[in-house]
Amino acid sequence: METEKVKCLIIGSGPAGYTAAIYAARANLSPVLYEGLQPGGQLTTTTDIENFPGYPEGVSGTQMMEDLRKQAERFGTDLRFGIATAADLNQSPYKVTIDEEKVIEAQTIIIATGATAKYLGLEDEKKYAGMGVSACATCDGFFYRKKVVAVVGGGDTACEEAEYLAGLASKVYLIVRKPFLRASKIMQERVMKNEKIEALFEHNAVGLFGENGVEGVHLVKRMGEADEERYDVAIDGFFLAIGHKPNSDIFKPYLDTDKVGYIMTEPGTPRTKVPGVFAAGDVADPHYRQAITAAATGCMAAIEAERYLLN
């Protein structure tokens, strides 16, 4: 198998990966960045971004990622297509296999592989992606001011998203598969007291409809039971809040992760338990999952990599 030695390997190409590349390249670390399955990351599926500083008129997710990519390239980052398929972090130089055919031996590694939002698996979720379907209320809620939206989920995340959206939308339906909420008691109380939020217990969303975007959701109440009921509800936005899966599987044998799979780092830093290996962006962030926070940790990871190499 072909082997290549590098100073700094960056895995992933969202805001964290590209920002890390910009800083690492400017520090003369000659970074090599593998863009992964989805160059640009989750933001390339977002139509408009209005909350990233520096874009007063807003920008499409694809355009913003292209801007970051060009900036990383301008300073000399070696950008490559490829997927990390295996890793060996037992000793330095650390080894990462790309596409099961090439081994990169790296003195430092920045893991910026992100997290993938969980979806229900409906065809309509793909059909209306960026046209009313979202997995991030903080990112896209602003577009639904004084409109009607639905949030799918029954845990803390779903309740938090419903609460956030209730501050913007005229009405929020919380679609809960079970006859109860799994969220913490305080979050349950907040949701149930909010006049704008209506919890639909024992409901499943089975489809969406609309001409040029989401106009409604097909619901089934008590699916599979004798009193099963099917009906439609008019909505403008459909938010998934059933969790994220961090893309950390190949690193789990070597790094500490939480029960979901988020890579654990030293508080306030991107340092993992393996010296010279850093985690940035959503793969290590179960709380914020924003482009701006991902970019910030990408910056931190590159600075840490530079200091590690100097020492």
Side-chain angles (χ1 to χ4, degrees):
M1 197 177 284
E2 183 187 352
T3 302
E4 179 184 0
K5 297 181 188 295
V6 304
K7 269 190 196 177
C8 178
L9 173 65
I10 301 169
I11 308 167
S13 60
Y18 285 143
T19 303
I22 291 165
Y23 275 80
R26 284 171 55 84
N28 292 323
L29 303 189
S30 305
V32 170
L33 182 150
Y34 278 94
E35 295 189 302
L37 200 59
Q38 189 177 23
Q42 287 186 81
L43 281 188
T44 56
T45 64
T46 302
T47 47
D48 294 307
I49 298 168
E50 295 190 327
N51 57 1
F52 197 95
Y55 293 96
E57 303 302 321
V59 64
S60 75
T62 304
Q63 184 59 55
M64 192 175 94
M65 288 299 96
E66 186 58 29
D67 290 345
L68 286 176
R69 187 182 194 278
K70 285 177 181 173
Q71 197 170 352
E73 199 168 32
R74 175 188 159 206
F75 292 115
T77 303
D78 186 346
L79 296 166
R80 304 176 181 178
F81 293 106
I83 300 167
T85 50
D88 180 356
L89 308 182
N90 276 320
Q91 61 182 32
S92 181
Y94 306 112
K95 299 178 180 66
V96 174
T97 304
I98 305 296
D99 294 328
E100 299 181 354
E101 59 186 26
K102 180 176 184 175
V103 175
I104 304 291
E105 293 188 357
Q107 291 173 264
T108 59
I109 295 175
I110 296 172
I111 302 167
T113 46
T116 305
K118 292 179 183 174
Y119 286 82
L120 296 173
L122 306 175
E123 275 303 311
D124 288 338
E125 288 171 323
K126 296 175 191 172
K127 178 180 175 181
Y128 295 107
M131 298 167 62
V133 172
S134 172
C136 180
T138 315
C139 312
D140 300 326
F142 181 81
F143 301 114
Y144 298 92
R145 285 192 304 170
K146 299 183 179 176
K147 294 186 177 181
V148 179
V149 299
V151 176
V152 179
D156 277 330
T157 300
C159 289
E160 284 167 14
E161 303 258 289
E163 275 276 298
Y164 176 80
L165 288 165
L168 298 165
S170 61
K171 171 88 174 178
V172 179
Y173 291 104
L174 185 60
I175 302 170
V176 188
R177 189 165 46 91
K178 299 189 176 188
F180 56 86
L181 291 170
R182 293 180 293 104
S184 58
K185 195 167 171 56
I186 190 164
M187 286 308 302
Q188 291 186 43
E189 288 174 359
R190 283 181 191 166
V191 163
M192 300 313 286
K193 282 180 183 174
N194 195 314
E195 293 179 357
K196 283 191 180 179
I197 301 172
E198 181 181 344
L200 302 175
F201 292 108
E202 295 185 275
H203 278 69
N204 283 270
V206 294
L208 300 166
F209 61 90
E211 287 296 318
N212 299 310
V214 171
E215 293 176 8
V217 56
H218 300 301
L219 294 174
V220 181
K221 183 179 181 181
R222 291 180 55 80
M223 183 182 277
E225 301 296 327
D227 57 350
E228 175 183 292
E229 184 183 344
R230 291 177 178 260
Y231 64 100
D232 295 342
V233 169
I235 59 170
D236 302 293
F238 185 75
F239 288 83
L240 282 303
I242 53 177
H244 285 71
K245 184 185 184 302
N247 302 316
S248 61
D249 287 355
I250 65 171
F251 306 108
K252 282 183 179 177
Y254 312 98
L255 304 177
D256 290 335
T257 63
D258 69 9
K259 62 183 180 182
V260 179
Y262 288 98
I263 295 173
M264 298 175 76
T265 58
E266 290 181 26
T269 82
R271 294 192 292 266
T272 70
K273 71 184 235 182
V274 177
V277 177
F278 310 97
D282 287 12
V283 74
D285 177 12
H287 303 296
Y288 302 106
R289 296 193 297 270
Q290 298 298 299
I292 192 69
T293 50
T297 54
C299 157
M300 293 159 65
I303 291 172
E304 289 284 355
E306 181 189 9
R307 288 174 180 169
Y308 173 83
L309 290 169
L310 282 173
N311 293 328

